[in-house]
Amino acid sequence: MKKYIISFIAACTLLVSCEQDRLIFDQNQTFVKFEQSNVDLPIIIDGTGSIEVTVNVSSISNSERSIDLEIIQEETTAEAASYTVGSLVVPANSYSGTLTIDGVDNNVTTEPKTLVVGVPNNADFASDRNLTISIFQVCPVDEALFTGMYLIEEIVAVPFGPGLQSGDVVEITANGLTRTFNSINFPNFCSVPIPFSFNLVCNEFVVPLQDTNCHCGDGTNYWGPSTIGNTTYDITDDSVFEVNFTNDVQSNCASPTQTTYRFTKQ
């Protein structure tokens, strides 16, 4: 059977996220790509959690298509009893489908464990990127807490000047247990604000891996969890709090360093 080499750059009109990796596959195969490569699955303590991930495909069909999935066991550290991977179905006349992953608090802790899911190559489908899910325990917090207008101040500095716009007043918004605000990254060099997030994880502030738009080479996964310990929060007082996180996780501009920001409600 004739083979084709497909460059993702040429397929960008069909796939939301494009990379320069190449894959050889049969002319009858459809290419499958997870819209995100890393997602969080927070599970409420003694409860459950659920996430949905969009999956894009390179062809269209007039009938519904089911795509097989597999657990990459050698890369998965989460206990099987803590998650359920749903079916991946692409509706008729569509270039995308939705994958649902459910979690339950069976021996889940605040320390993230990973679940890695892939699409096995077969006669119908091909893929070159897996989906990594971080599974961890969270505790409910009122979405009104740790939101509103806050003065942010860098109290432990990083190289090249402040990492976020120290001295600025930002608006923090809530999405479940995630808090997000817009700030300029490294204002000494850049000027376009970008979202920055931190999570409320059972009395601790945890900064997830996230990108920057001001960097020396690749801004992917530039910010990340602290290696010196997370700061804690008090649900009875959100007037002042501090957040520790790592700057330059991937050693993009220099070596990773730890920084701390203070947030004061206005």
Side-chain angles (χ1 to χ4, degrees), residues 21-265:
D21 300 329
R22 292 185 176 187
L23 179 75
I24 299 176
F25 63 98
D26 294 337
Q27 60 179 331
N28 294 323
Q29 287 176 305
T30 292
F31 196 82
V32 183
K33 195 177 188 74
F34 296 103
E35 190 170 85
Q36 299 165 272
S37 57
N38 296 276
V39 295
D40 289 341
L41 173 52
I43 298 176
I44 295 175
I45 186 170
D46 298 326
T48 60
S50 183
I51 56 171
E52 292 186 346
V53 178
T54 298
V55 184
N56 299 303
V57 294
S58 62
S59 68
I60 198 167
S61 172
N62 58 11
S63 61
E64 181 180 273
R65 291 171 288 175
S66 295
I67 300 176
D68 292 335
L69 297 169
E70 63 179 352
I71 307 300
I72 312 301
Q73 298 291 349
E74 62 271 21
E75 299 179 30
T76 294
T77 60
E79 293 193 21
S82 66
Y83 61 83
T84 301
V85 179
S87 299
L88 175 54
V89 177
V90 178
N93 303 310
S94 177
Y95 282 112
S96 65
T98 301
L99 172 63
T100 300
I101 301 171
D102 297 313
V104 60
D105 189 8
N106 285 329
N107 298 319
V108 177
T109 68
T110 57
E111 180 182 354
K113 301 295 183 181
T114 58
L115 163 64
V116 183
V117 177
V119 176
N121 293 334
N122 55 40
D124 297 317
F125 300 102
S127 180
D128 76 333
R129 183 168 78 171
N130 296 328
L131 172 67
T132 300
I133 304 101
S134 294
I135 300 176
F136 52 90
Q137 184 187 76
V138 294
C139 304
V141 177
D142 191 320
E143 285 200 351
L145 294 173
F146 306 102
T147 62
M149 307 305 295
Y150 280 85
L151 170 68
I152 63 172
E153 299 172 282
E154 185 183 59
I155 60 175
V156 176
V158 300
F160 316 120
L164 304 177
Q165 194 165 24
S166 183
D168 198 13
V169 174
V170 301
E171 182 178 9
I172 301 178
T173 59
N175 181 11
L177 293 168
T178 299
R179 302 295 184 265
T180 302
F181 60 92
N182 288 330
S183 182
I184 297 173
N185 290 184
F186 296 103
N188 289 354
F189 303 94
C190 299
S191 59
V192 179
I194 186 174
F196 185 91
S197 298
F198 56 89
N199 296 325
L200 279 59
V201 183
C202 292
N203 301 322
E204 292 186 347
F205 293 112
V206 180
V207 173
L209 288 171
Q210 54 197 295
D211 302 345
T212 181
N213 63 351
C214 190
H215 49 82
C216 300
D218 180 6
T220 303
N221 293 339
Y222 194 90
W223 312 106
S226 172
T227 62
I228 61 173
N230 297 316
T231 55
T232 60
Y233 59 83
D234 180 356
I235 60 172
T236 67
D237 183 8
D238 66 349
S239 59
V240 180
F241 61 91
E242 295 178 358
V243 177
N244 295 338
F245 54 94
T246 300
N247 162 70
D248 203 355
V249 173
Q250 308 295 338
S251 300
N252 178 266
C253 294
S255 298
T257 55
Q258 301 303 301
T259 188
T260 302
Y261 267 75
R262 177 181 293 129
F263 296 74
T264 305
K265 201 157 197 174

